[in-house]
Amino acid sequence: MKVLILGVNGFIGSHLSENILKTTDWEVYGLDVESNKISDIVDNPRFNFVKGDVTVDKDKEWIEHNIKECDVVLPLVAIATPATYIKNPLKVFELDFETNLEIIKKAVKYKTRVVFPSTSEVYGMCTDEAFDEDKSNFILGPTNKQRWIYSCCKQLLDRVMWAYGFEKDFKFTIFRPYNWIGPKLDDIYTTKEGGSRVLTQFIGNVLKNEPMKLVNGGHQKRCFLYIDDGIKCLTKIIGDKSGVTNGMIFNIGNPKNNVTIRELASRVRKIFYKHPIIKSTNLIKKIDIEDVSEKIFYGEGYQDVSFRVPSIKKARDVLGWEPLIGLDAALRKTIDYYLADNKFSRKVVNK
Ligand code: UGA
């Protein structure tokens, strides 16, 4: 099987490629503007990497050719950080919606199957105890809260694919990640405040000797899923030969790892305090946790989701998938990765 991954150097793309090369005999065709996260696999003969940009005409020709040649395409390029939804909502619309729509239309043209990353954000402020892919309503705020533009872009793409499936027999499967975490999530050294997702924001804060900031007191809850669990599920979807997943939507999250952001900060702090590298180097003496209002942290265009728990019944029943990694293990593995990262370990060596 030939798998085309656009955004192959991203958090999901890089882990997925590694797993495909390790556990299957498939070939990966990947495009990205960067290659720092795929250095371990870039020389693998079954990995065909091209440096390129999904928005540039020259690279669009390569993309079209490979959509035609491959069995399945995963369009993973998207802005996925809430601070950007608020600062640059048009950039989110252009990249997440317009560019991906072009890719989907090409897949329709060449009858290539698409496995598409939707998002848990589509459910917005849904009040269901557990969000169901086929029953839960989507509840978004007003237009002047531009945080919802990401949710809206993804929702419309989901609906467009659904419509192509309904009217033109287009083959697709949609997956909705719920706060996936792990190594390579965001670059903690280049990111600005609010510029990365919460866990990497916190790890970055600690490593830069800044306080972790709890937006609106940190009472809001999220279910965090370790990347390896998510990738196992995604690989099963891609490898579906029977066509059973065609036209289906899957939540991929871990309902058991459901904590407030305040609890997350306190667990992160505990792991750092107990960590052998931190204990032996004395590089981080005190980790503070502060409250901050959403207006100060994100600005007027922000509105939050208070809780979101996935129903993973469908992934269990159809794919036989179950998330296995608990929150503390997931946090520990992620923190280990960022502590081993060059920029921090250089500090340790110099000490
Ligand atoms: C995220 C992003 O929209 C996407 O990456 C993704 O599609 C989706 O959720 C997902 O992974 O399921 P959200 O969970 O709100 O949305 O994003 P985070 O930036 O990780 O924030 C989580 C919570 O922590 C929010 O309530 C936020 O206000 C809070 N937060 C964030 C803090 O309290 N402090 C921080 O420093 C950063």
Side-chain angles (χ1 to χ4, degrees):
M1 184 157 74
K2 289 182 180 173
V3 182
L4 174 61
I5 303 179
L6 304 172
V8 76
N9 185 58
F11 173 50
I12 296 179
S14 58
H15 284 278
L16 176 64
S17 302
E18 254 177 54
N19 191 54
I20 288 179
L21 297 171
K22 207 164 79 189
T23 64
T24 74
D25 61 357
W26 311 340
E27 279 180 57
V28 176
Y29 290 78
L31 176 131
D32 207 297
V33 282
E34 301 281 353
S35 58
N36 58 315
K37 295 181 186 173
I38 47 173
S39 52
D40 290 348
I41 52 171
V42 85
D43 295 327
N44 187 306
R46 284 188 289 124
F47 187 68
N48 306 282
F49 173 68
V50 163
K51 209 166 209 173
D53 184 333
V54 287
T55 63
V56 169
D57 283 343
K58 168 178 73 64
D59 299 324
K60 285 183 185 174
E61 281 172 31
W62 184 92
I63 293 172
E64 177 152 4
H65 173 77
N66 283 285
I67 289 177
K68 202 166 138 197
E69 296 299 315
C70 287
D71 301 289
V72 55
V73 50
L74 286 99
L76 300 182
V77 178
I79 290 164
T81 43
T84 320
Y85 316 158
I86 288 140
K87 280 192 204 97
N88 303 104
L90 279 180
K91 210 165 135 191
V92 176
F93 170 71
E94 286 161 9
L95 186 68
D96 294 19
F97 183 77
E98 289 190 309
T99 303
N100 281 297
L101 181 62
E102 276 178 41
I103 293 163
I104 287 162
K105 284 186 170 173
K106 295 216 171 83
V108 172
K109 180 172 161 192
Y110 295 110
K111 299 192 184 316
T112 304
R113 179 179 177 225
V114 170
V115 174
F116 187 76
S118 177
T119 172
S120 62
E121 293 252 320
V122 292
Y123 302 96
M125 298 174 287
C126 177
T127 54
D128 294 352
E129 237 170 73
F131 299 171
D132 182 292
E133 299 95 332
D134 304 310
K135 292 190 191 123
S136 289
N137 291 323
F138 299 162
I139 304 180
L140 306 189
T143 312
N144 63 8
K145 298 291 179 192
Q146 65 259 35
R147 185 248 162 82
W148 302 112
I149 194 155
Y150 172 73
S151 169
C152 237
C153 288
K154 291 280 191 184
Q155 184 193 147
L156 187 53
L157 285 173
D158 291 358
R159 291 187 189 277
V160 168
M161 277 182 284
W162 187 270
Y164 276 122
F166 181 74
E167 290 194 31
K168 301 197 188 286
D169 197 27
F170 169 60
K171 306 265 183 294
F172 70 95
T173 310
I174 290 170
F175 65 99
R176 297 196 173 135
Y178 281 65
N179 293 85
W180 291 14
I181 54 171
K184 305 181 185 175
L185 178 56
D186 294 300
D187 183 347
I188 56 176
Y189 292 98
T190 58
T191 190
K192 295 189 191 69
E193 183 164 274
S196 78
R197 281 151 288 194
V198 64
L199 177 59
T200 26
Q201 196 73 49
F202 285 170
I203 295 173
N205 291 147
V206 174
L207 297 185
K208 290 181 268 183
N209 281 304
E210 300 161 1
M212 289 186 266
K213 291 192 176 162
L214 301 177
V215 174
N216 295 341
H219 304 295
Q220 61 279 45
K221 288 177 129 178
R222 293 292 186 275
C223 293
F224 294 93
L225 178 93
Y226 191 62
I227 182 77
D228 290 3
D229 276 335
I231 294 299
K232 275 188 199 152
C233 188
L234 189 49
T235 309
K236 279 175 185 258
I237 292 175
I238 298 168
D240 168 32
K241 287 200 185 88
S242 67
V244 66
T245 64
N246 184 34
M248 282 193 176
I249 302 175
F250 291 95
N251 287 330
I252 311 183
N254 191 335
K256 288 189 189 146
N257 290 344
N258 187 16
V259 290
T260 62
I261 300 303
R262 179 172 284 276
E263 170 71 14
L264 178 78
S266 119
R267 290 199 196 196
V268 166
R269 176 160 69 180
K270 217 180 199 167
I271 292 171
F272 269 110
Y273 277 151
K274 282 191 180 161
H275 202 286
I277 294 184
I278 299 303
K279 278 179 153 176
S280 64
T281 57
N282 214 16
L283 275 170
I284 294 159
K285 292 178 192 73
K286 192 164 175 293
I287 301 170
D288 289 318
I289 299 178
E290 282 177 4
D291 285 351
V292 61
S293 74
E294 62 179 31
K295 278 203 179 62
I296 291 186
F297 196 79
Y298 288 111
E300 291 289 342
Y302 189 69
Q303 202 169 19
D304 208 348
V305 171
S306 318
F307 59 91
R308 66 171 167 229
V309 179
S311 156
I312 53 167
K313 187 176 178 314
K314 209 201 288 182
R316 266 194 197 119
D317 292 351
V318 177
L319 304 164
W321 173 78
E322 190 72 41
L324 299 174
I325 301 169
L327 185 58
D328 280 333
L331 296 178
R332 176 70 198 248
K333 283 165 190 273
T334 311
I335 288 170
D336 280 350
Y337 167 81
Y338 284 101
L339 279 174
D341 184 64
N342 278 339
K343 289 173 192 132
F344 189 78
S345 48
R346 238 180 280 135
K347 265 201 215 171
V348 177
V349 173
N350 291 339
K351 184 83 188 165

PDB file of all heavy atoms in Angstrom, residues 85 116-124 138 150-155 158 174-178 251 308:
ATOM      1  N   TYR A  85      -5.939  30.838  16.319  1.00  0.00           N
ATOM      2  CA  TYR A  85      -7.325  31.031  15.858  1.00  0.00           C
ATOM      3  C   TYR A  85      -7.754  32.472  16.175  1.00  0.00           C
ATOM      4  O   TYR A  85      -8.541  33.071  15.447  1.00  0.00           O
ATOM      5  CB  TYR A  85      -8.333  30.091  16.532  1.00  0.00           C
ATOM      6  CG  TYR A  85      -7.944  28.632  16.683  1.00  0.00           C
ATOM      7  CD1 TYR A  85      -8.556  27.830  17.653  1.00  0.00           C
ATOM      8  CD2 TYR A  85      -7.000  28.038  15.847  1.00  0.00           C
ATOM      9  CE1 TYR A  85      -8.229  26.490  17.805  1.00  0.00           C
ATOM     10  CE2 TYR A  85      -6.665  26.693  16.003  1.00  0.00           C
ATOM     11  CZ  TYR A  85      -7.274  25.937  16.988  1.00  0.00           C
ATOM     12  OH  TYR A  85      -6.948  24.616  17.156  1.00  0.00           O
ATOM     13  N   PHE A 116      -9.081  11.581   7.195  1.00  0.00           N
ATOM     14  CA  PHE A 116      -9.000  13.018   7.485  1.00  0.00           C
ATOM     15  C   PHE A 116      -9.011  13.331   8.981  1.00  0.00           C
ATOM     16  O   PHE A 116      -9.855  12.831   9.726  1.00  0.00           O
ATOM     17  CB  PHE A 116     -10.184  13.729   6.818  1.00  0.00           C
ATOM     18  CG  PHE A 116     -10.082  15.226   6.919  1.00  0.00           C
ATOM     19  CD1 PHE A 116      -9.208  15.927   6.104  1.00  0.00           C
ATOM     20  CD2 PHE A 116     -10.832  15.927   7.856  1.00  0.00           C
ATOM     21  CE1 PHE A 116      -9.096  17.307   6.219  1.00  0.00           C
ATOM     22  CE2 PHE A 116     -10.718  17.303   7.972  1.00  0.00           C
ATOM     23  CZ  PHE A 116      -9.848  17.992   7.147  1.00  0.00           C
ATOM     24  N   PRO A 117      -8.082  14.239   9.408  1.00  0.00           N
ATOM     25  CA  PRO A 117      -8.078  14.647  10.817  1.00  0.00           C
ATOM     26  C   PRO A 117      -9.098  15.752  11.067  1.00  0.00           C
ATOM     27  O   PRO A 117      -8.854  16.911  10.762  1.00  0.00           O
ATOM     28  CB  PRO A 117      -6.664  15.190  11.008  1.00  0.00           C
ATOM     29  CG  PRO A 117      -6.296  15.736   9.655  1.00  0.00           C
ATOM     30  CD  PRO A 117      -7.037  14.920   8.635  1.00  0.00           C
ATOM     31  N   SER A 118     -10.242  15.364  11.611  1.00  0.00           N
ATOM     32  CA  SER A 118     -11.177  16.374  12.110  1.00  0.00           C
ATOM     33  C   SER A 118     -10.670  16.756  13.506  1.00  0.00           C
ATOM     34  O   SER A 118      -9.457  16.697  13.746  1.00  0.00           O
ATOM     35  CB  SER A 118     -12.588  15.776  12.138  1.00  0.00           C
ATOM     36  OG  SER A 118     -13.511  16.675  12.678  1.00  0.00           O
ATOM     37  N   THR A 119     -11.526  17.082  14.428  1.00  0.00           N
ATOM     38  CA  THR A 119     -11.061  17.519  15.744  1.00  0.00           C
ATOM     39  C   THR A 119     -12.158  17.363  16.787  1.00  0.00           C
ATOM     40  O   THR A 119     -13.348  17.475  16.457  1.00  0.00           O
ATOM     41  CB  THR A 119     -10.612  18.990  15.691  1.00  0.00           C
ATOM     42  OG1 THR A 119     -10.348  19.443  17.017  1.00  0.00           O
ATOM     43  CG2 THR A 119     -11.671  19.901  15.090  1.00  0.00           C
ATOM     44  N   SER A 120     -11.739  17.168  18.030  1.00  0.00           N
ATOM     45  CA  SER A 120     -12.701  17.177  19.139  1.00  0.00           C
ATOM     46  C   SER A 120     -13.354  18.549  19.260  1.00  0.00           C
ATOM     47  O   SER A 120     -14.426  18.684  19.841  1.00  0.00           O
ATOM     48  CB  SER A 120     -11.971  16.854  20.439  1.00  0.00           C
ATOM     49  OG  SER A 120     -11.005  17.854  20.700  1.00  0.00           O
ATOM     50  N   GLU A 121     -12.702  19.580  18.708  1.00  0.00           N
ATOM     51  CA  GLU A 121     -13.232  20.953  18.797  1.00  0.00           C
ATOM     52  C   GLU A 121     -14.554  21.125  18.048  1.00  0.00           C
ATOM     53  O   GLU A 121     -15.248  22.102  18.267  1.00  0.00           O
ATOM     54  CB  GLU A 121     -12.217  21.939  18.222  1.00  0.00           C
ATOM     55  CG  GLU A 121     -10.963  22.061  19.032  1.00  0.00           C
ATOM     56  CD  GLU A 121     -10.876  23.379  19.788  1.00  0.00           C
ATOM     57  OE1 GLU A 121     -11.245  24.417  19.244  1.00  0.00           O
ATOM     58  OE2 GLU A 121     -10.439  23.334  20.940  1.00  0.00           O
ATOM     59  N   VAL A 122     -14.893  20.206  17.122  1.00  0.00           N
ATOM     60  CA  VAL A 122     -16.154  20.381  16.392  1.00  0.00           C
ATOM     61  C   VAL A 122     -17.354  20.332  17.349  1.00  0.00           C
ATOM     62  O   VAL A 122     -18.378  20.960  17.090  1.00  0.00           O
ATOM     63  CB  VAL A 122     -16.375  19.345  15.246  1.00  0.00           C
ATOM     64  CG1 VAL A 122     -15.405  19.534  14.110  1.00  0.00           C
ATOM     65  CG2 VAL A 122     -16.370  17.928  15.757  1.00  0.00           C
ATOM     66  N   TYR A 123     -17.237  19.588  18.454  1.00  0.00           N
ATOM     67  CA  TYR A 123     -18.360  19.493  19.387  1.00  0.00           C
ATOM     68  C   TYR A 123     -18.531  20.771  20.203  1.00  0.00           C
ATOM     69  O   TYR A 123     -19.557  20.979  20.842  1.00  0.00           O
ATOM     70  CB  TYR A 123     -18.165  18.305  20.339  1.00  0.00           C
ATOM     71  CG  TYR A 123     -18.027  16.973  19.628  1.00  0.00           C
ATOM     72  CD1 TYR A 123     -16.773  16.431  19.355  1.00  0.00           C
ATOM     73  CD2 TYR A 123     -19.149  16.269  19.213  1.00  0.00           C
ATOM     74  CE1 TYR A 123     -16.641  15.212  18.710  1.00  0.00           C
ATOM     75  CE2 TYR A 123     -19.019  15.049  18.552  1.00  0.00           C
ATOM     76  CZ  TYR A 123     -17.768  14.529  18.307  1.00  0.00           C
ATOM     77  OH  TYR A 123     -17.642  13.328  17.651  1.00  0.00           O
ATOM     78  N   GLY A 124     -17.508  21.618  20.187  1.00  0.00           N
ATOM     79  CA  GLY A 124     -17.557  22.908  20.882  1.00  0.00           C
ATOM     80  C   GLY A 124     -17.988  22.764  22.329  1.00  0.00           C
ATOM     81  O   GLY A 124     -17.426  21.964  23.081  1.00  0.00           O
ATOM     82  N   PHE A 138     -23.296  19.960  17.795  1.00  0.00           N
ATOM     83  CA  PHE A 138     -22.144  20.865  17.824  1.00  0.00           C
ATOM     84  C   PHE A 138     -22.633  22.214  18.366  1.00  0.00           C
ATOM     85  O   PHE A 138     -23.550  22.797  17.798  1.00  0.00           O
ATOM     86  CB  PHE A 138     -21.588  21.067  16.414  1.00  0.00           C
ATOM     87  CG  PHE A 138     -21.082  19.808  15.746  1.00  0.00           C
ATOM     88  CD1 PHE A 138     -20.902  19.768  14.377  1.00  0.00           C
ATOM     89  CD2 PHE A 138     -20.759  18.685  16.488  1.00  0.00           C
ATOM     90  CE1 PHE A 138     -20.421  18.627  13.747  1.00  0.00           C
ATOM     91  CE2 PHE A 138     -20.277  17.530  15.875  1.00  0.00           C
ATOM     92  CZ  PHE A 138     -20.115  17.499  14.499  1.00  0.00           C
ATOM     93  N   TYR A 150     -11.635  27.537  13.732  1.00  0.00           N
ATOM     94  CA  TYR A 150     -10.988  26.237  13.493  1.00  0.00           C
ATOM     95  C   TYR A 150     -12.032  25.113  13.509  1.00  0.00           C
ATOM     96  O   TYR A 150     -12.106  24.284  12.598  1.00  0.00           O
ATOM     97  CB  TYR A 150      -9.924  26.025  14.582  1.00  0.00           C
ATOM     98  CG  TYR A 150      -9.278  24.665  14.635  1.00  0.00           C
ATOM     99  CD1 TYR A 150      -8.354  24.276  13.679  1.00  0.00           C
ATOM    100  CD2 TYR A 150      -9.572  23.781  15.679  1.00  0.00           C
ATOM    101  CE1 TYR A 150      -7.741  23.034  13.752  1.00  0.00           C
ATOM    102  CE2 TYR A 150      -8.966  22.545  15.759  1.00  0.00           C
ATOM    103  CZ  TYR A 150      -8.060  22.169  14.805  1.00  0.00           C
ATOM    104  OH  TYR A 150      -7.461  20.938  14.885  1.00  0.00           O
ATOM    105  N   SER A 151     -12.851  25.141  14.543  1.00  0.00           N
ATOM    106  CA  SER A 151     -13.906  24.146  14.689  1.00  0.00           C
ATOM    107  C   SER A 151     -14.821  24.148  13.465  1.00  0.00           C
ATOM    108  O   SER A 151     -15.180  23.111  12.913  1.00  0.00           O
ATOM    109  CB  SER A 151     -14.689  24.478  15.960  1.00  0.00           C
ATOM    110  OG  SER A 151     -15.855  23.733  16.041  1.00  0.00           O
ATOM    111  N   CYS A 152     -15.181  25.370  13.042  1.00  0.00           N
ATOM    112  CA  CYS A 152     -16.087  25.563  11.905  1.00  0.00           C
ATOM    113  C   CYS A 152     -15.468  25.066  10.594  1.00  0.00           C
ATOM    114  O   CYS A 152     -16.141  24.428   9.792  1.00  0.00           O
ATOM    115  CB  CYS A 152     -16.293  27.058  11.764  1.00  0.00           C
ATOM    116  SG  CYS A 152     -17.945  27.544  11.836  1.00  0.00           S
ATOM    117  N   CYS A 153     -14.182  25.389  10.382  1.00  0.00           N
ATOM    118  CA  CYS A 153     -13.478  24.940   9.165  1.00  0.00           C
ATOM    119  C   CYS A 153     -13.474  23.420   9.100  1.00  0.00           C
ATOM    120  O   CYS A 153     -13.765  22.825   8.067  1.00  0.00           O
ATOM    121  CB  CYS A 153     -12.026  25.412   9.168  1.00  0.00           C
ATOM    122  SG  CYS A 153     -11.827  27.161   8.897  1.00  0.00           S
ATOM    123  N   LYS A 154     -13.138  22.798  10.223  1.00  0.00           N
ATOM    124  CA  LYS A 154     -13.057  21.338  10.245  1.00  0.00           C
ATOM    125  C   LYS A 154     -14.450  20.742  10.073  1.00  0.00           C
ATOM    126  O   LYS A 154     -14.629  19.744   9.381  1.00  0.00           O
ATOM    127  CB  LYS A 154     -12.441  20.851  11.566  1.00  0.00           C
ATOM    128  CG  LYS A 154     -10.956  21.187  11.704  1.00  0.00           C
ATOM    129  CD  LYS A 154     -10.102  20.195  10.927  1.00  0.00           C
ATOM    130  CE  LYS A 154      -8.637  20.341  11.252  1.00  0.00           C
ATOM    131  NZ  LYS A 154      -7.790  19.458  10.448  1.00  0.00           N
ATOM    132  N   GLN A 155     -15.438  21.363  10.717  1.00  0.00           N
ATOM    133  CA  GLN A 155     -16.802  20.838  10.618  1.00  0.00           C
ATOM    134  C   GLN A 155     -17.295  20.866   9.169  1.00  0.00           C
ATOM    135  O   GLN A 155     -17.887  19.892   8.669  1.00  0.00           O
ATOM    136  CB  GLN A 155     -17.765  21.660  11.490  1.00  0.00           C
ATOM    137  CG  GLN A 155     -19.146  21.080  11.463  1.00  0.00           C
ATOM    138  CD  GLN A 155     -20.226  21.999  12.029  1.00  0.00           C
ATOM    139  OE1 GLN A 155     -21.344  21.962  11.559  1.00  0.00           O
ATOM    140  NE2 GLN A 155     -19.893  22.809  13.013  1.00  0.00           N
ATOM    141  N   ASP A 158     -15.660  18.171   7.156  1.00  0.00           N
ATOM    142  CA  ASP A 158     -16.291  16.875   7.475  1.00  0.00           C
ATOM    143  C   ASP A 158     -17.586  16.729   6.671  1.00  0.00           C
ATOM    144  O   ASP A 158     -17.865  15.688   6.085  1.00  0.00           O
ATOM    145  CB  ASP A 158     -16.669  16.785   8.964  1.00  0.00           C
ATOM    146  CG  ASP A 158     -15.464  16.708   9.900  1.00  0.00           C
ATOM    147  OD1 ASP A 158     -14.324  16.690   9.408  1.00  0.00           O
ATOM    148  OD2 ASP A 158     -15.673  16.679  11.128  1.00  0.00           O
ATOM    149  N   ILE A 174     -13.095   9.684   8.827  1.00  0.00           N
ATOM    150  CA  ILE A 174     -12.723  10.872   9.607  1.00  0.00           C
ATOM    151  C   ILE A 174     -12.331  10.435  11.019  1.00  0.00           C
ATOM    152  O   ILE A 174     -13.009   9.603  11.615  1.00  0.00           O
ATOM    153  CB  ILE A 174     -13.928  11.848   9.661  1.00  0.00           C
ATOM    154  CG1 ILE A 174     -14.157  12.469   8.269  1.00  0.00           C
ATOM    155  CG2 ILE A 174     -13.766  12.909  10.729  1.00  0.00           C
ATOM    156  CD1 ILE A 174     -15.452  13.250   8.143  1.00  0.00           C
ATOM    157  N   PHE A 175     -11.214  10.998  11.528  1.00  0.00           N
ATOM    158  CA  PHE A 175     -10.891  10.724  12.939  1.00  0.00           C
ATOM    159  C   PHE A 175     -10.812  12.039  13.706  1.00  0.00           C
ATOM    160  O   PHE A 175     -10.438  13.065  13.155  1.00  0.00           O
ATOM    161  CB  PHE A 175      -9.604   9.896  13.089  1.00  0.00           C
ATOM    162  CG  PHE A 175      -8.335  10.581  12.631  1.00  0.00           C
ATOM    163  CD1 PHE A 175      -7.479  11.198  13.561  1.00  0.00           C
ATOM    164  CD2 PHE A 175      -7.971  10.605  11.294  1.00  0.00           C
ATOM    165  CE1 PHE A 175      -6.302  11.815  13.159  1.00  0.00           C
ATOM    166  CE2 PHE A 175      -6.797  11.230  10.876  1.00  0.00           C
ATOM    167  CZ  PHE A 175      -5.958  11.836  11.810  1.00  0.00           C
ATOM    168  N   ARG A 176     -11.209  11.989  14.971  1.00  0.00           N
ATOM    169  CA  ARG A 176     -11.223  13.202  15.815  1.00  0.00           C
ATOM    170  C   ARG A 176     -10.314  13.004  17.027  1.00  0.00           C
ATOM    171  O   ARG A 176     -10.711  12.366  18.008  1.00  0.00           O
ATOM    172  CB  ARG A 176     -12.659  13.508  16.261  1.00  0.00           C
ATOM    173  CG  ARG A 176     -13.546  13.822  15.079  1.00  0.00           C
ATOM    174  CD  ARG A 176     -14.845  14.495  15.468  1.00  0.00           C
ATOM    175  NE  ARG A 176     -15.537  14.901  14.260  1.00  0.00           N
ATOM    176  CZ  ARG A 176     -16.830  14.721  14.024  1.00  0.00           C
ATOM    177  NH1 ARG A 176     -17.600  14.178  14.950  1.00  0.00           N
ATOM    178  NH2 ARG A 176     -17.358  15.128  12.895  1.00  0.00           N
ATOM    179  N   PRO A 177      -9.105  13.558  16.961  1.00  0.00           N
ATOM    180  CA  PRO A 177      -8.192  13.429  18.105  1.00  0.00           C
ATOM    181  C   PRO A 177      -8.668  14.294  19.286  1.00  0.00           C
ATOM    182  O   PRO A 177      -9.139  15.408  19.086  1.00  0.00           O
ATOM    183  CB  PRO A 177      -6.865  13.979  17.567  1.00  0.00           C
ATOM    184  CG  PRO A 177      -7.033  14.134  16.094  1.00  0.00           C
ATOM    185  CD  PRO A 177      -8.501  14.302  15.856  1.00  0.00           C
ATOM    186  N   TYR A 178      -8.532  13.738  20.477  1.00  0.00           N
ATOM    187  CA  TYR A 178      -8.845  14.481  21.708  1.00  0.00           C
ATOM    188  C   TYR A 178      -7.539  14.725  22.463  1.00  0.00           C
ATOM    189  O   TYR A 178      -7.005  13.810  23.100  1.00  0.00           O
ATOM    190  CB  TYR A 178      -9.782  13.660  22.605  1.00  0.00           C
ATOM    191  CG  TYR A 178     -11.224  13.680  22.180  1.00  0.00           C
ATOM    192  CD1 TYR A 178     -11.623  13.117  20.973  1.00  0.00           C
ATOM    193  CD2 TYR A 178     -12.211  14.259  22.992  1.00  0.00           C
ATOM    194  CE1 TYR A 178     -12.951  13.126  20.587  1.00  0.00           C
ATOM    195  CE2 TYR A 178     -13.545  14.267  22.608  1.00  0.00           C
ATOM    196  CZ  TYR A 178     -13.901  13.704  21.396  1.00  0.00           C
ATOM    197  OH  TYR A 178     -15.223  13.714  21.017  1.00  0.00           O
ATOM    198  N   ASN A 251     -14.051   9.027  17.182  1.00  0.00           N
ATOM    199  CA  ASN A 251     -13.369   9.769  18.239  1.00  0.00           C
ATOM    200  C   ASN A 251     -12.151   8.958  18.652  1.00  0.00           C
ATOM    201  O   ASN A 251     -12.270   7.741  18.864  1.00  0.00           O
ATOM    202  CB  ASN A 251     -14.263   9.873  19.480  1.00  0.00           C
ATOM    203  CG  ASN A 251     -15.418  10.842  19.305  1.00  0.00           C
ATOM    204  OD1 ASN A 251     -15.324  11.819  18.564  1.00  0.00           O
ATOM    205  ND2 ASN A 251     -16.516  10.580  20.005  1.00  0.00           N
ATOM    206  N   ARG A 308     -14.722  17.960  27.826  1.00  0.00           N
ATOM    207  CA  ARG A 308     -15.022  17.145  26.644  1.00  0.00           C
ATOM    208  C   ARG A 308     -14.481  15.737  26.822  1.00  0.00           C
ATOM    209  O   ARG A 308     -13.283  15.524  26.962  1.00  0.00           O
ATOM    210  CB  ARG A 308     -14.526  17.803  25.354  1.00  0.00           C
ATOM    211  CG  ARG A 308     -13.059  17.946  25.207  1.00  0.00           C
ATOM    212  CD  ARG A 308     -12.776  18.423  23.765  1.00  0.00           C
ATOM    213  NE  ARG A 308     -11.427  18.861  23.618  1.00  0.00           N
ATOM    214  CZ  ARG A 308     -11.053  20.025  23.056  1.00  0.00           C
ATOM    215  NH1 ARG A 308     -11.939  20.864  22.593  1.00  0.00           N
ATOM    216  NH2 ARG A 308      -9.785  20.325  22.960  1.00  0.00           N
TER     217      ARG A 308
END
